[in-house]
Amino acid sequence: MMKLSEEVVKLKISVVIPAKNEAATIGTVVETVRALALDLEVIVVDDGSDDDTGIISSVAGAIVIKHPYSKGNGAAIKTGARHAKGDVLVFMDGDGQHDADSIVKLVDRLLSGHDLVVGSRQRGSQANVWRGTANRFYNWLATYMSGHKVSDLTSGFRAVRAEKFREFIYLLPNGFSYPTTSTMAFFRAGYSVAYEPIHVAKRVGTSHIRPLKDGTRFVLIIFKIGTLYSPLKIFAPISLLIFMLGMGWYGYTLSAFDKFTNMSALLFTSSAMIFLMGLISEQITMLMYKRSE
């Protein structure tokens, strides 16, 4: 275990663990977190489990909040954040993948002047090749959108200043993409975001992510990244591409048939409409963040 700084020891920390059917691991996770020499509370949000997740968490010493039915990982995070009393919130999974000792590293980095510190999974820590490839693409896109280096957009292991996280609770989805939403919201608001390298273990039990259904949701994350930060950065290149296609088609039909075709008109009109949609989305995004400024 790493040496604890005086600031970290004095800080009130709330560790929020969303859990659904994690009876095999949740007891150990709670016990290892509570074993840290920190002033913390452990909140397990039982998201409609049909096993003994809630009972085991309570016996291990956690504050248990139970959803009457499954609402989603993001909904569990929001419930935990609303009930937490700490100045700093730490979010981690209940499946045994996250090392409790890394909490100290995240919080210590947070106190160096940041508002959000994300545990950045290192190579070899991704669940499979497909998810690793998808996450690298999300990181690249988020880096392009925000203008800041994004090491791990979708990591659920993070420490954040409580009052600033609560500013964006209304933006968070109930599903699995809350890390994406919260990270981009912090960038958009001008808050300081840092990444701390971590390693994650292989999860125990079955993942709640379903490739077909949630794969579609992950595709939507791409568009959410754009709409949460700067929609025009997505709309403008698409508009330009369609405009260039229109110019190319017009040049071809003008030289070959000496006329302006309906297809050229459609492409030019589509280009203008997409650009205007981007402008409108940009204004909506600015209004969306107005309450946090």
Side-chain angles (χ1 to χ4, degrees):
M1 183 182 297
M2 67 181 294
K3 185 178 180 180
L4 304 181
S5 68
E6 186 175 343
E7 284 183 291
V8 173
V9 172
K10 292 181 177 180
L11 196 64
K12 178 65 177 178
I13 302 170
S14 295
V15 181
V16 178
I17 307 174
K20 178 182 178 182
N21 296 332
E22 303 288 5
T25 57
I26 193 64
T28 302
V29 171
V30 172
E31 289 171 358
T32 54
V33 172
R34 295 187 70 241
L36 297 173
L38 297 172
D39 180 14
L40 54 78
E41 62 176 357
V42 182
I43 300 174
V44 173
V45 182
D46 183 355
D47 189 36
S49 299
D50 51 23
D51 63 5
D52 294 329
T53 294
I55 296 174
I56 294 173
S57 300
S58 181
V59 171
I63 300 169
V64 178
I65 304 170
K66 184 174 178 61
H67 286 169
Y69 56 88
S70 180
K71 300 178 182 180
N73 181 264
I77 288 293
K78 289 188 281 188
T79 296
R82 291 184 179 112
H83 286 80
K85 298 177 181 178
D87 302 310
V88 168
L89 306 179
V90 174
F91 301 111
M92 64 185 297
D93 294 342
D95 56 13
Q97 286 188 298
H98 296 152
D99 182 5
D101 287 341
S102 294
I103 291 175
V104 179
K105 293 168 58 179
L106 296 179
V107 175
D108 198 50
R109 186 76 181 276
L110 190 76
L111 294 180
S112 67
H114 297 94
D115 301 301
L116 168 66
V117 177
V118 180
S120 176
R121 294 163 291 185
Q122 302 304 289
R123 285 190 176 275
S125 296
Q126 298 291 349
N128 54 56
V129 175
W130 184 88
R131 287 185 64 180
T133 302
N135 285 334
R136 283 193 293 273
F137 177 75
Y138 298 151
N139 295 341
W140 171 83
L141 182 62
T143 298
Y144 161 71
M145 294 300 300
S146 66
H148 300 278
K149 174 64 177 177
V150 176
S151 300
D152 196 337
L153 184 66
T154 59
S155 172
F157 195 14
R158 50 188 56 208
V160 62
R161 298 186 186 276
E163 75 279 5
K164 291 182 178 177
F165 182 81
R166 292 191 180 102
E167 291 178 16
F168 306 111
I169 276 187
Y170 74 101
L171 285 176
L172 301 183
N174 289 337
F176 278 102
S177 61
Y178 102 85
T180 301
T181 307
S182 58
T183 300
M184 297 307 292
F186 268 67
F187 276 131
R188 181 64 176 79
Y191 290 143
S192 298
V193 179
Y195 292 88
E196 184 67 27
I198 61 167
H199 289 280
V200 297
K202 185 177 180 181
R203 70 163 285 126
V204 177
T206 304
S207 173
H208 300 302
I209 295 180
R210 293 151 291 184
L212 291 179
K213 183 175 181 179
D214 291 311
T216 302
R217 294 178 183 176
F218 285 146
V219 171
L220 294 177
I221 290 176
I222 297 171
F223 297 99
K224 181 170 288 186
I225 292 170
T227 55
L228 280 173
Y229 197 83
S230 180
L232 203 55
K233 282 192 174 183
I234 286 184
F235 283 95
I238 295 175
S239 173
L240 179 60
L241 175 62
I242 294 176
F243 178 80
M244 295 304 295
L245 287 174
M247 287 295 293
W249 184 253
Y250 174 56
Y252 166 71
T253 56
L254 183 64
S255 61
F257 307 107
D258 195 27
K259 64 179 181 180
F260 180 80
T261 65
N262 290 336
M263 178 57 73
S264 296
L266 177 62
L267 290 171
F268 287 137
T269 303
S270 299
S271 174
M273 291 297 295
I274 291 173
F275 182 74
L276 291 174
M277 287 173 61
L279 286 177
I280 294 172
S281 299
E282 192 82 21
Q283 299 304 312
I284 293 174
T285 300
M286 292 178 66
L287 292 173
M288 187 170 62
Y289 287 96
K290 185 176 181 179
R291 71 173 68 181
S292 66
E293 295 176 351

